[in-house]
């Protein structure tokens, strides 16, 4: 068993693709790395992934989401420029108007054709995978190519 002082693990996060009738919700980050991003954040010790997704969605957008569906995990060591993190991406639905909260400077609704160019982290890839999946491609085909 590795020594806990010398062994480092990736940090665990969740990101949520919040579907509302007019599109998906993105937040503009107030902290580095700057840019637009999926709502999300770190999983607290003792917290289930789904619970973290529900909490982060509420904190950053003010929206109550339905029970989230696991979409895919992303684990490239360079996906976050600050540190190695692994994220579990969820898809969930909500109704209402997003309102920026916590460390979000803004919350807006986007669709596939008007996504902002300055997406943080690997969220451009995540959203590309998501829109391909929503377009009918099977997850196994989408993730085979990455």
């Amino acid at each position: 068993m590795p020594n806990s002082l010398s062994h480092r693990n990736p940090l665990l996060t969740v990101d949520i693709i919040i579907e509302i009738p007019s599109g998906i919700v993105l937040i503009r980050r107030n902290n580095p790395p700057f840019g637009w991003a999926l709502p999300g954040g770190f999983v607290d010790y003792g917290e289930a992934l789904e619970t973290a997704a529900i909490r982060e969605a509420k904190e950053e957008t003010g929206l109550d989401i339905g029970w989230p569906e696991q979409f895919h995990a992303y684990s490239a060591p360079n996906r976050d420029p600050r540190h190695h993190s692994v994220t579990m991406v969820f898809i969930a639905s909500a109704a209402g108007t997003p309102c920026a909260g916590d460390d979000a400077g803004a919350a807006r609704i986007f669709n596939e054709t008007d996504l902002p160019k300055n997406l943080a982290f690997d969220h451009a890839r995540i959203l590309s995978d998501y829109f391909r999946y929503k377009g009918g491609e099977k997850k196994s085909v989408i993730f085979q190519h990455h």
Side-chain angles (χ1 to χ4, degrees), residues 49-84:
L49 294 172
E50 294 82 1
T51 304
I54 292 166
R55 175 182 53 77
E56 286 289 345
K58 181 69 170 181
E59 288 175 1
E60 294 190 347
T61 69
L63 296 171
D64 292 310
I65 62 172
W67 190 253
E69 166 199 349
Q70 283 189 11
F71 177 55
H72 188 68
Y74 292 81
S75 62
N78 63 348
R79 64 172 302 276
D80 185 327
R82 303 168 297 178
H83 45 194
H84 182 186

Side-chain angles (χ1 to χ4, degrees), residues 122-142:
D122 57 351
H123 291 187
R125 175 183 168 194
I126 293 170
L127 288 170
S128 173
D129 291 347
Y130 163 76
F131 286 117
R132 288 172 53 207
Y133 171 67
K134 287 309 233 182
E137 284 192 50
K138 293 181 180 177
K139 282 191 206 177
S140 60
V141 171
I142 293 170

Side-chain angles (χ1 to χ4, degrees), residues 83-111:
H83 45 194
H84 182 186
S85 67
V86 174
T87 191
M88 174 54 70
V89 178
F90 288 90
I91 300 171
S93 58
T97 303
C99 177
D102 198 20
D103 58 356
R108 261 191 55 205
I109 302 164
F110 293 91
N111 356 153

Side-chain angles (χ1 to χ4, degrees), residues 13-72:
T13 65
V14 292
D15 288 300
I16 311 96
I17 300 169
I18 302 174
E19 300 173 329
I20 60 174
S22 55
I24 60 161
V25 178
L26 297 178
I27 57 138
R28 190 181 70 239
R29 292 180 49 80
N30 267 347
N31 300 310
F34 297 108
W36 288 91
L38 294 165
F42 296 101
V43 178
D44 293 335
Y45 187 82
E47 184 177 42
L49 294 172
E50 294 82 1
T51 304
I54 292 166
R55 175 182 53 77
E56 286 289 345
K58 181 69 170 181
E59 288 175 1
E60 294 190 347
T61 69
L63 296 171
D64 292 310
I65 62 172
W67 190 253
E69 166 199 349
Q70 283 189 11
F71 177 55
H72 188 68

